[in-house]
Amino acid sequence: MLNNEPMSYPDFIKLFNFLDSETIAAMDWIKLYSAKQGVFLELNPANIESVKVNLVQILTSQGRTQADIELFARKMGNAWRMKKHRQSKGVVSLSVSLDKTIAAKLAQMCSGQTQAEVITQLVTGNYEEFLTQKNELKAKLAEEKIILKAKQASAKFEKMENKLAISAQQPTSPSDNEPAQTEELRNGIASLFDLIFTAHEQGSKIDEQLLLKATKIYYGAFAK
């Protein structure tokens, strides 16, 4: 039964004394719950006491009666205690949006059982299969990435091989930039060789002719 005796402003605030946590999660819950009831609190309250004051300020400014505020506090308190009870049992509440057809199928599956029970069974029964498929997909994407890089490396090897051939045919009078260019070329060849060799070692579908060609160019460059 709701109290019909006039209440003072501090008494209104005491109605919300069940709010006893200042964690980020708790503050977010309070703001979300209040917003669903049409009460939009300050975005960044200083502490839980300021939240209580802000609640009463907004409720009274909206012209709600004492009975309305008491009912609001009662319902919010019940929801708060249920939230804490779920947390103490290691249970969390999920809110997800599903396609209408999926939601309808889930409703059919839940005949005689709760949604929590059905979802628990689905996750428990298929989690290992889900992980296997996820890992297989991850490995496939990694292999495709290596193959792509190897193809790009192949094109670069062609250019480097041509550059080496041209360099070998030029007069032996070295230019000021030749040592730096040679070192840059060798570093590039070494990096490309490592990429293709690593891909080959990991079992990716790398053309063995490409590997042999890369090896030839690699040792040819460093023998000079």
Side-chain angles (χ1 to χ4, degrees), residues 164 182 186 189 215-224:
L164 281 174
T182 302
R186 288 180 175 179
I189 291 174
T215 304
K216 180 181 177 181
I217 296 175
Y218 175 81
Y219 286 106
F222 282 86
K224 297 182 179 182

Side-chain angles (χ1 to χ4, degrees), residues 75-218:
K75 289 182 177 181
M76 187 177 189
N78 289 336
W80 178 263
R81 283 183 283 274
M82 288 178 62
K83 178 187 77 71
K84 293 183 68 174
H85 178 65
R86 287 195 300 268
Q87 288 179 337
S88 66
K89 292 176 63 178
V91 179
V92 297
S93 178
L94 296 178
S95 177
V96 296
S97 297
L98 298 175
D99 181 84
K100 288 184 179 180
T101 56
I102 301 298
K105 289 181 180 180
L106 179 60
Q108 292 177 350
M109 295 172 67
C110 293
S111 178
Q113 291 180 287
T114 65
Q115 287 188 354
E117 290 172 337
V118 172
I119 292 174
T120 298
Q121 291 172 6
L122 290 173
V123 172
T124 303
N126 294 281
Y127 185 63
E128 293 300 327
E129 182 180 351
F130 166 77
L131 283 182
T132 299
Q133 293 178 351
K134 183 178 180 181
N135 291 332
E136 288 177 351
L137 178 60
K138 184 178 180 180
K140 182 180 179 181
L141 292 175
E143 181 176 342
E144 290 176 350
K145 185 176 181 181
I146 290 176
I147 292 174
L148 176 61
K149 287 185 176 181
K151 288 181 179 179
Q152 294 172 343
S154 177
K156 290 184 178 181
F157 268 122
E158 293 286 350
K159 292 181 180 180
M160 287 185 175
E161 187 176 31
N162 293 334
K163 191 171 182 179
L164 281 174
I166 294 173
S167 177
Q169 296 173 1
Q170 290 178 345
T172 55
S173 56
S175 64
D176 294 337
N177 296 329
E178 185 175 345
Q181 291 176 346
T182 302
E183 185 64 23
E184 180 183 358
L185 182 60
R186 288 180 175 179
N187 289 339
I189 291 174
S191 298
L192 293 172
F193 175 78
D194 288 342
L195 171 64
I196 293 180
F197 184 80
T198 301
H200 182 75
E201 287 293 299
Q202 291 179 355
S204 299
K205 298 176 182 178
I206 302 300
D207 188 350
E208 291 189 1
Q209 293 299 320
L210 175 61
L211 178 61
L212 290 174
K213 187 176 183 180
T215 304
K216 180 181 177 181
I217 296 175
Y218 175 81

